[in-house]
């Protein structure tokens, strides 16, 4: 399945924009096809060993990339904690998932972990925390579609409609046909 392939590729190199775009497209398609429980129908995403991830980082004279994963046991532990958080989300235990994502973020700041924790905060109606996590994710990846969408959702709940619309418009520059974003924009224009 393409979604699993994209997620696997991102474990090897999290800076591949095409893979991020692919994940976003597949997420949207799967959500439309299978509804909110689409993740439960996925085959397991294989974990790429850290040794394979490191093999791809070519030493260069440039400064290290901001989103390049640091090496070492902390990275592996962060990944494990994130995956445990993902499993808890699938089971609907968002409070426990927040704890796992928070532990993971102490070891490694990663865009996907922030957006995952933001999803939990949205579910738990902790909208300010969701906004903070999305802002952190966008600091790491300024065009991240999930971060823009989730922050727009949280801002809408906080009744900051102007900022919410601004996020949706930024998202639509990247993905003009994103149906969820277009729907949210319609709701915001009515608010």
């Amino acid at each position: 399945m393409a979604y699993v392939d994209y997620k696997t590729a991102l474990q090897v190199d999290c800076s591949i924009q095409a893979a991020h775009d692919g994940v976003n497209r597949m997420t949207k398609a799967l959500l439309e096809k299978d509804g909110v429980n689409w993740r439960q129908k996925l085959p397991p995403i294989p974990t790429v060993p850290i040794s394979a991830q490191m093999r791809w980082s070519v030493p260069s004279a440039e400064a290290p990339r901001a989103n390049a994963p640091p090496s070492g046991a902390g990275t592996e532990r962060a990944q494990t904690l994130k995956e445990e958080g993902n499993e808890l989300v699938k089971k609907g235990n968002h409070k426990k998932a927040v704890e796992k994502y928070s532990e993971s973020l102490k070891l490694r700041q990663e865009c996907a972990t922030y957006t995952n924790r933001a999803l939990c905060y949205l579910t738990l109606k902790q909208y300010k925390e969701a906004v903070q996590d999305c802002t952190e994710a966008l600091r790491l990846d300024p065009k991240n579609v999930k971060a823009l969408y989730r922050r727009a959702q949280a801002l809408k709940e906080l009744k900051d409609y102007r900022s919410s619309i601004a996020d949706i418009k930024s998202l639509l520059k990247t993905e003009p046909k994103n149906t969820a974003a277009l729907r949210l924009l319609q709701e915001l224009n009515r608010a």
Side-chain angles (χ1 to χ4, degrees):
M1 162 170 263
Y3 179 87
V4 174
D5 295 341
Y6 286 128
K7 291 297 264 188
T8 306
L10 286 170
Q11 287 181 61
V12 175
D13 184 352
C14 65
S15 67
I16 305 169
Q17 189 56 49
H20 283 289
D21 295 343
V23 165
N24 290 329
R25 273 195 318 276
M26 292 297 110
T27 301
K28 193 172 69 179
L30 290 166
L31 186 63
E32 286 173 4
K33 181 178 169 276
D34 297 327
V36 289
N37 296 325
W38 65 271
R39 274 196 172 88
Q40 291 163 5
K41 297 180 182 178
L42 285 181
I45 295 167
T47 303
V48 176
I50 297 299
S51 57
Q53 293 178 29
M54 294 306 134
R55 198 179 316 140
W56 296 101
S57 46
V58 180
S60 70
E62 299 169 31
R65 291 195 317 268
N67 59 353
S71 60
T75 303
E76 243 172 288
R77 179 77 183 125
Q79 182 65 28
T80 303
L81 286 162
K82 181 177 120 181
E83 286 164 10
E84 287 171 9
N86 293 348
E87 288 305 310
L88 288 162
V89 167
K90 287 177 193 173
K91 293 174 185 162
N93 192 342
H94 296 89
K95 215 171 221 158
K96 263 274 191 268
V98 165
E99 292 171 21
K100 294 290 181 184
Y101 292 140
S102 299
E103 284 180 56
S104 176
L105 287 164
K106 282 179 195 160
L107 299 168
R108 180 177 72 178
Q109 292 196 337
E110 190 188 58
C111 185
T113 311
Y114 277 116
T115 58
N116 291 357
R117 191 171 70 175
L119 174 68
C120 294
Y121 282 139
L122 280 168
T123 307
L124 296 167
K125 299 187 179 355
Q126 292 177 256
Y127 302 118
K128 285 184 178 140
E129 291 84 350
V131 169
Q132 285 170 349
D133 273 4
C134 291
T135 302
E136 282 303 309
L138 290 164
R139 193 176 52 77
L140 297 169
D141 177 7
K143 289 188 174 174
N144 187 283
V145 169
K146 281 184 183 176
L148 286 165
Y149 182 72
R150 289 176 184 165
R151 188 167 73 177
Q153 287 178 299
L155 288 165
K156 176 184 170 236
E157 295 302 326
L158 293 167
K159 303 208 181 328
D160 184 351
Y161 301 124
R162 184 175 292 155
S163 299
S164 184
I165 288 169
D167 277 350
I168 289 296
K169 286 185 175 171
S170 295
L171 185 163
L172 290 169
K173 281 181 194 156
T174 306
E175 277 190 23
K177 292 184 169 71
N178 185 312
T179 50
L182 290 165
R183 220 178 0 252
L184 183 57
L185 186 59
Q186 284 179 329
E187 288 173 30
L188 287 160
N189 286 329
R190 285 196 296 268

